[in-house]
Amino acid sequence: MTSLKSSEIKNKSTILGIDPGTNIMGYGIIEAEPNKYKLIAAGVIKLDKIEDAHQKLKKIYQRTEHLINEFNIQEVSIEAPFYGKNAQSMLKLGRAQGVAIAAAMVKNKTVTEYSPRKIKQSLTGNGNASKEQVAAMVLRLLKLTEKPVYLDATDALAVAICHAFQYNQTTGNASKNKHSNWATFLKHNPERLK
């Protein structure tokens, strides 16, 4: 987890989660209160039909800025690029992430970065969980019955929920409500298990 600005979630906060990509970028917006999460919006930004790489980055920047403005976002959380074998793919993904971060920073929003393993661990208790397992937990936590068409959207919602999990939303104190895994979260929040 890397914070680009010190982060505190107040009693109620609107969090934008971003799953960066150069063909499809997922976004998820939740309203977080202590032990309560509400879906505000989720979807994807399709970039696969834009051929010019710089135009894709421009679109990512513009859409991120638009989401921040439209939904009055207080916190932005973003998935860090995972280390893969293809250096070219990593470079493209890093650029997409950087542009989204820049859009948030220009708007003076707190940005926190989470590794894919940290996100999966926070939501499912398993750092190697599949996208489908993460999506199932997102649906459960947000009390949704219909899965989005693109798993990029549920991945982005997972990033936002992971961010909410990391901070005590009552006091804004990160150290008191930091859960290292799903079992610890349930121990402190038994009412969440049904």
Side-chain angles (χ1 to χ4, degrees):
M1 176 178 80
T2 306
S3 286
L4 299 178
K5 280 172 72 176
S6 63
S7 178
E8 290 183 356
I9 296 178
K10 310 301 181 209
N11 285 341
K12 185 187 273 191
S13 188
T14 307
I15 304 168
L16 168 62
I18 297 175
D19 179 28
T22 55
N23 287 325
I24 296 177
M25 181 179 113
Y27 66 88
I29 301 166
I30 63 168
E31 184 177 83
E33 295 182 66
N35 300 316
K36 184 178 174 187
Y37 312 100
K38 176 182 165 189
L39 173 68
I40 302 299
V44 296
I45 299 164
K46 292 186 180 182
L47 304 159
D48 53 337
K49 293 196 169 131
I50 301 172
E51 290 186 28
D52 183 71
H54 296 125
Q55 289 301 317
K56 285 185 182 193
L57 296 175
K58 179 180 176 183
K59 180 81 167 182
I60 291 167
Y61 185 95
Q62 290 172 333
R63 290 293 291 141
T64 302
E65 187 177 51
H66 174 77
L67 290 168
I68 290 168
N69 290 337
E70 182 179 354
F71 294 100
N72 193 26
I73 301 298
Q74 281 103 33
E75 303 272 335
V76 177
S77 52
I78 190 162
E79 184 174 319
F82 57 90
Y83 297 101
K85 292 180 180 176
N86 187 329
Q88 191 65 28
S89 294
M90 282 290 298
L91 178 63
K92 289 177 183 176
L93 191 57
R95 286 178 175 170
Q97 182 199 35
V99 167
I101 289 171
M105 297 299 288
V106 164
K107 291 291 187 181
N108 294 314
K109 301 303 172 187
T110 298
V111 179
T112 307
E113 183 179 344
Y114 297 95
S115 72
R117 184 172 181 79
K118 174 69 175 178
I119 296 162
K120 292 173 183 180
Q121 180 74 30
S122 291
L123 266 74
T124 70
N126 176 3
N128 295 315
S130 68
K131 281 182 171 279
E132 290 76 16
Q133 289 170 315
V134 170
M137 189 55 71
V138 166
L139 296 179
R140 187 174 179 184
L141 288 168
L142 295 176
K143 298 179 175 77
L144 303 175
T145 55
E146 192 175 324
K147 184 169 70 172
V149 175
Y150 293 96
L151 290 177
D152 304 87
T154 51
D155 283 350
L157 286 167
V159 177
I161 294 168
C162 173
H163 182 67
F165 281 177
Q166 302 310 304
Y167 295 89
N168 181 322
Q169 299 169 27
T170 304
T171 64
N173 186 342
S175 62
K176 289 186 181 174
N177 196 30
K178 203 163 192 174
H179 302 291
S180 59
N181 58 43
W182 186 240
T184 307
F185 173 78
L186 287 177
K187 181 179 175 185
H188 290 100
N189 301 280
E191 74 282 358
R192 299 298 299 193
L193 185 62
K194 292 183 181 177

